[in-house]
Amino acid sequence: MRRLGRALLALPFLAAAAVAQAPPAEEPVLPPGPLSLAQCIELALARHPDIASAEAAVRTARAQAVISSSGLYPQLNLDASARVTQSLARPVNIGGGVIQVQGQRSTQRDVTASLDWTLFQTGQRDQAHQAKTQAAASVYSLKDVQRQLAYSVQSTYYQVLAAREQLKVAMSALANAQRHLDQVQARLDAGQVPASDLLPVRTEVARARLTSIQAETDMGTAEAALRALLVVPPGTPLELAEPLPVERIDADLPALLEQAEQNRPDIAEQKLSLQAAQLSTKVAEAQAGVTLSAGGGADYGRHTGTSG
């Protein structure tokens, strides 16, 4: 009885220790509840590798712009060096006599700070401007990748909903065709219709079954495409919310074209890329001829105890 009592008293502590040592629960692949279109777009923008690649391209372009612009400013360099020379002790023969020469050690230390500034160089400012323009274009490229990804998610979202409805219709048509076949078969068994009436009904059932298989395949393909955009494992169940009503756009074609030209990031990216290409051509043409450069520099150092 005492052992049993001790075991019962130890159970709460063992349970607490097991909970403390249990690994943390993994985060769910998808948020709970039906996914709305806005949630799907948000998940895709946060997870899709195309976004990470475009963001890395922006950071690279900005770093390149900083490197190109750094040549317009003074460059500060700091150099430090130290050298220790040790001569070996050796015997030297002088006039028939041998003299033992002792080894000597010498130390040399140099510390220098230099300031260099390229005041002018052919094509340097245009090259820096070209790098900044390319960095600005990369930002619009990122926005365009986000826009295209959001459009793909929206299109695939509605394709999944449409494919599911088409599958329901196809399965209903298959069930109706099967009931029709059963009715004709029953009338044939009763001798009310000839056997030739059974063939077109069987053909109808086969066509309905083929349509249902095609609808099921289309639904599976659409769901797989949506999972890829959301970056979730294959086979993850997708529970989608009902689509929102689409608002009617009352605008004429010229107004829509003007709005698209002003707002689309890919057009802004192409314009900036064109400017960057023109600047790059200008730099190449300038460097193909006679190039000029002017610069200045100064240094101050301490060399083995002497400054200057």
Side-chain angles (χ1 to χ4, degrees), residues 60-70 128 131-133 135:
T60 301
R62 287 176 173 174
Q64 187 61 42
V66 172
I67 294 174
S68 298
S69 301
S70 63
K132 290 181 179 180
T133 305

Side-chain angles (χ1 to χ4, degrees), residues 166-167 170-171 174 207-217:
Q166 291 175 357
L167 180 59
M171 295 302 296
L174 177 60
R207 289 177 178 174
R209 183 174 291 110
L210 179 61
T211 302
S212 65
I213 293 174
Q214 184 63 46
E216 187 175 1
T217 302

Side-chain angles (χ1 to χ4, degrees), residues 275-298:
Q275 295 178 13
Q278 292 173 347
L279 290 170
S280 179
T281 303
K282 186 177 179 181
V283 172
E285 291 176 349
Q287 293 179 350
V290 178
T291 59
L292 301 175
S293 62

Side-chain angles (χ1 to χ4, degrees), residues 6 37 71 82 103-104 118 127 147 155 157 175 177 194 206 225 249 251 268 300 304:
R6 292 176 181 176
L37 177 58
Q104 295 181 354
T118 302
Q127 190 172 7
R147 177 187 64 85
S155 177
Y157 184 90
I249 300 177
Y300 182 86
T304 315

Side-chain angles (χ1 to χ4, degrees), residues 152-163:
S152 298
V153 172
Q154 183 174 0
S155 177
T156 309
Y157 184 90
Y158 287 124
Q159 286 178 7
V160 172
L161 294 177

